[in-house]
Amino acid sequence: MTAYQELERRHARIAAIGDALGILGWDTQTIMPDGANEGRAEQIATLSVIAHEMSTDPRLADLLAEAEDDDSLDSWRRANLREMRRNHAHATAVPAELVEAMSKAASVCEMTWRTARADSDFAALLPSLRTVLDCVRESAAAKGAAMGLSPYDALLDEYDPGARTARIDALFADLADFLPDLIGRVLDKQAGQPVPARPVGPFPVEAQRALGVSMMERMGFDFQRGRLDVSLHPFCGGATDDVRMTTRYDEADFANALMAVIHETGHGLYEQGRPRAHLAQPVGQARGMAVHESQSLIMEMQAARSAEFITWLAPVVREAFGGTGPEWEVDNLRRLYGRVERGFIRVDADEVTYPAHVILRYRLEKALVSGDLDLADLPGAWNDGMLELVGVAPPDDRRGCLQDIHWPGGGWGYFPSYTLGAMTAAQLFAAAREAEPEIVPALGRGDFAPLVGWLRTNVHQTGCFHASADALLTAATGRPLDVSVFKRHLETRYLGS
C-alpha cells in the first residue's frame, strides 16, 4: 500500500466518525429526550476526541510528506492531498483535551440555550456561553499561532478556507454603505403600492408538510438518501447518503416552513450531489460554508422568490390550502414574498435587510473573540447594532441575542458565510442563466432541473477540487466574488432598475 493509499484509508475512517457525529447531532436537535443530554454530550465528546486523535496521529505527517513525492497522483488526488494537509494543520494545532472540553461545553450550552431562549433569559445562558467562548478563544489562539493567522482569521479559515478578515471587512463595508439607502428607497417604493394581504390560516401542519415534501421532490431531493423532520431551528445535517433536513411549522403562516424547506433542500442537494468517487475523502466534501450557503440561497432567494416561480407557485399553494380571495392571487403573492421590512429575526429577514443582520453578528463575534466586548455586555451591544444597521431594536433577548444557536453550539466565525453565500448565489445564478437560458422559463413551470443540472456540474460535483471558494467561482463564472453582482441583483429585483 502506498503512502497516499494509506492516507485515503485513514481519512475514510475519520469520515465515518464524522457521519456518526452528524446523526447524533441531528438526533440531539430533533427527538432526543432532555434527560439524555448529559449522556449525549459524553458520546459526542468521545467520538470527537477519537476523530481528533486519528487526525493528529504523528504518522500522518510522514505519510503526507511521502505522498507529496508520488508522481503517479492525478489532479483529483493532488487536490485531496492538499485538503488533507489543510485539515491536518487545523487538527494538530489544538490539543485533544481542548477538543473534548469544547464538545462538552457546546452540548451543555445548546441545551441551556433552548430554555434560555424560550424564557428570554440571557443571564441563564451567560455562564455556559462564557465557557464556550473561553474554549473558542483558546482554540483560535492555538490555530492562529500554528498557521500564522490572527485568532479570528483562524476561525474563518475553518469554515471557509482562505477567508480573511481584511477581505470580508472590505466586502461588508461596501454593503453596509449601500444597504441603508437601498432599504430606504425600497420602503419608499413599497409605500406607493397596495399593501399585500397575507393569506389567513390556520394552515394544518400535515398540509404544510405534504407541500414541502412535494417541493423537495420537484427540486430533485432523493428521499432514498435523506429525510425531513422538525426542529427548533431549521438545518441540514446528517451523514453521507443520509441527509437529515429539518424545518419548523407555524399554522398561522405556511410560507416560513415552505421557504425553509426550499432553503434546506438547496443544502441537501449539494450534499447528495458531491463527487461519488471521493465521498469519504476531504476532496469530496463541500467547498466551504459560503459555497454551501450559496446553494440554499440560490434556491430560496434567486429561484423561489423570482417572479416566474411565484407565478407558478400561486395556484399550487391555493390548491394545497383551499385558499380563495385576492390574497391568493399572483400579484399579491409577488408583493408579499418580495416585501422588505425592518425586523428582529435573522431567519425571517427579507433578502434586502438580511445582510445587515449578518454584518452585526460578524462585528460582534470579532469583538467577543478579541476581548474588545465582554460577553455580559452582548445584549446591549446587540440592540445598539440592530438600531444602527437594521433600524429597529429588539424588545427582548429572545428576539435579540438569543435567537441563534450558532454561538452556543460553538459556531464562531461562521456567520459571515451567510452573506458571502448570498453574494455567491447571485453570481452563480447570473452565470447559470447566461449559460442555460432555459433556467428561468423552467422555473415558471416549477421545474428546477435545468438549474440543478448546471449546479451539479459547476458546483456540487467539484467538491473541494478547487482550492478556495474564489477559485470555484472563477471556474464557474469567470471571476472571483464580486459584490457588485449582488448589489445589482437587489436593485433590479426590488427597484426594477
Side-chain angles (χ1 to χ4, degrees):
M1 182 179 291
T2 67
Y4 178 80
Q5 290 170 333
E6 175 63 12
L7 285 168
E8 278 199 332
R9 186 189 70 82
R10 290 178 179 231
H11 281 85
R13 297 183 69 197
I14 294 170
I17 293 176
D19 281 348
L21 285 167
I23 297 300
L24 286 174
W26 166 84
D27 182 84
T28 300
Q29 296 187 52
T30 54
I31 60 175
M32 185 190 79
D34 290 347
N37 183 50
E38 187 174 336
R40 179 58 48 80
E42 185 65 34
Q43 295 156 16
I44 291 174
T46 298
L47 286 176
S48 296
V49 169
I50 291 172
H52 184 264
E53 289 173 346
M54 294 171 66
S55 300
T56 57
D57 185 332
R59 175 69 177 135
L60 276 180
D62 295 333
L63 290 169
L64 286 166
E66 187 177 342
E68 291 283 1
D69 296 328
D70 188 344
D71 294 332
S72 70
L73 301 183
D74 62 15
S75 58
W76 273 92
R77 288 172 175 79
R78 283 283 168 196
N80 196 28
L81 196 58
R82 179 196 67 225
E83 294 301 307
M84 289 175 177
R85 188 171 288 284
R86 189 185 77 83
N87 292 346
H88 185 253
H90 272 279
T92 54
V94 182
E97 56 268 23
L98 179 55
V99 173
E100 183 175 16
M102 180 71 208
S103 179
K104 288 182 177 179
S107 293
V108 170
C109 194
E110 276 193 19
M111 295 306 292
T112 304
W113 167 79
R114 296 175 193 280
T115 302
R117 178 181 179 273
D119 296 339
S120 192
D121 186 359
F122 180 76
L125 182 68
L126 184 58
S128 59
L129 187 58
R130 193 178 294 281
T131 301
V132 169
L133 179 55
D134 287 344
C135 291
V136 167
R137 283 173 171 163
E138 187 176 349
S139 176
K143 288 187 176 186
M147 301 172 70
L149 301 172
S150 71
Y152 190 75
D153 277 350
L155 295 176
L156 291 174
D157 192 79
E158 183 176 352
Y159 296 106
D160 279 301
R164 299 292 182 265
T165 306
R167 176 102 193 274
I168 296 174
D169 282 348
L171 290 168
F172 283 7
D174 191 333
L175 273 181
D177 288 342
F178 168 77
L179 287 172
D181 178 66
L182 176 67
I183 293 169
R185 284 191 289 156
V186 173
L187 293 176
D188 286 344
K189 180 181 178 181
Q190 286 182 174
Q193 298 174 335
V195 176
R198 189 174 295 276
V200 177
F203 306 106
V205 168
E206 295 79 6
Q208 291 193 55
R209 176 177 168 79
L211 177 62
V213 168
S214 173
M215 195 64 61
M216 292 168 67
E217 291 173 340
R218 181 169 287 276
M219 294 171 71
F221 187 83
D222 182 358
F223 277 96
Q224 294 299 308
R225 297 189 292 138
R227 56 180 289 132
L228 175 67
D229 292 280
V230 177
S231 68
L232 183 62
H233 188 103
F235 70 93
C236 176
T240 302
D241 283 339
D242 188 3
V243 178
R244 304 294 179 94
M245 283 173 39
T246 70
T247 190
R248 57 186 175 193
Y249 299 104
D250 178 356
E251 292 200 336
D253 185 357
F254 70 85
N256 281 341
L258 177 61
M259 287 300 174
V261 165
I262 292 173
H263 179 102
E264 299 304 336
T265 301
H267 286 304
L269 290 172
Y270 192 5
E271 287 299 311
Q272 291 185 339
R274 292 189 290 113
R276 297 208 62 79
H278 307 282
L279 285 179
Q281 296 301 311
V283 76
Q285 304 306 305
R287 179 66 290 169
M289 294 316 302
V291 175
H292 223 312
E293 193 62 22
S294 79
Q295 298 310 285
S296 60
L297 292 175
I298 205 169
M299 293 300 172
E300 179 196 1
M301 292 299 183
Q302 298 292 326
R305 292 184 189 269
S306 67
E308 293 81 6
F309 181 76
I310 291 176
T311 299
W312 172 83
L313 182 65
V316 173
V317 295
R318 191 162 56 236
E319 180 179 354
F321 301 109
T324 59
E327 65 270 28
W328 294 92
E329 295 302 318
V330 171
D331 287 345
N332 181 72
L333 292 179
R334 282 183 181 174
R335 291 196 305 274
L336 182 62
Y337 299 127
R339 188 78 174 169
V340 173
E341 295 178 321
R342 305 182 196 271
F344 307 123
I345 307 300
R346 175 186 62 84
V347 297
D348 295 335
D350 56 78
E351 192 177 19
V352 176
T353 61
Y354 190 99
H357 290 265
V358 172
I359 292 169
L360 168 65
R361 287 155 175 78
Y362 171 67
R363 291 176 176 176
L364 291 175
E365 72 176 8
K366 276 201 306 178
L368 287 167
V369 170
S370 68
D372 291 338
L373 175 65
D374 187 85
L375 194 57
D377 298 326
L378 176 61
W382 183 288
N383 294 347
D384 291 344
M386 280 289 293
L387 195 59
E388 174 194 348
L389 290 166
V390 185
V392 292
D396 52 53
D397 290 339
R398 181 177 63 84
R399 286 171 284 186
C401 64
L402 289 176
Q403 66 185 266
D404 297 306
I405 196 173
H406 303 64
W407 291 340
W412 296 72
Y414 185 99
F415 275 119
S417 300
Y418 287 117
T419 289
L420 295 174
M423 289 189 278
T424 301
Q427 193 162 322
L428 288 170
F429 194 63
R433 285 182 304 167
E434 183 175 350
E436 298 289 345
E438 178 58 22
I439 284 175
V440 173
L443 290 173
R445 302 188 298 271
D447 180 5
F448 286 82
L451 175 58
V452 173
W454 189 89
L455 292 171
R456 281 277 189 260
T457 299
N458 292 279
V459 180
H460 302 173
Q461 292 173 356
T462 67
C464 284
F465 180 79
H466 300 293
S468 66
D470 266 345
L472 183 153
L473 264 179
T474 300
T477 73
R479 55 180 158 171
L481 187 60
D482 183 350
V483 68
S484 69
V485 180
F486 182 56
K487 291 161 64 176
R488 185 163 58 250
H489 158 70
L490 293 178
E491 288 182 320
T492 301
R493 173 171 286 182
Y494 296 94
L495 294 174
S497 59

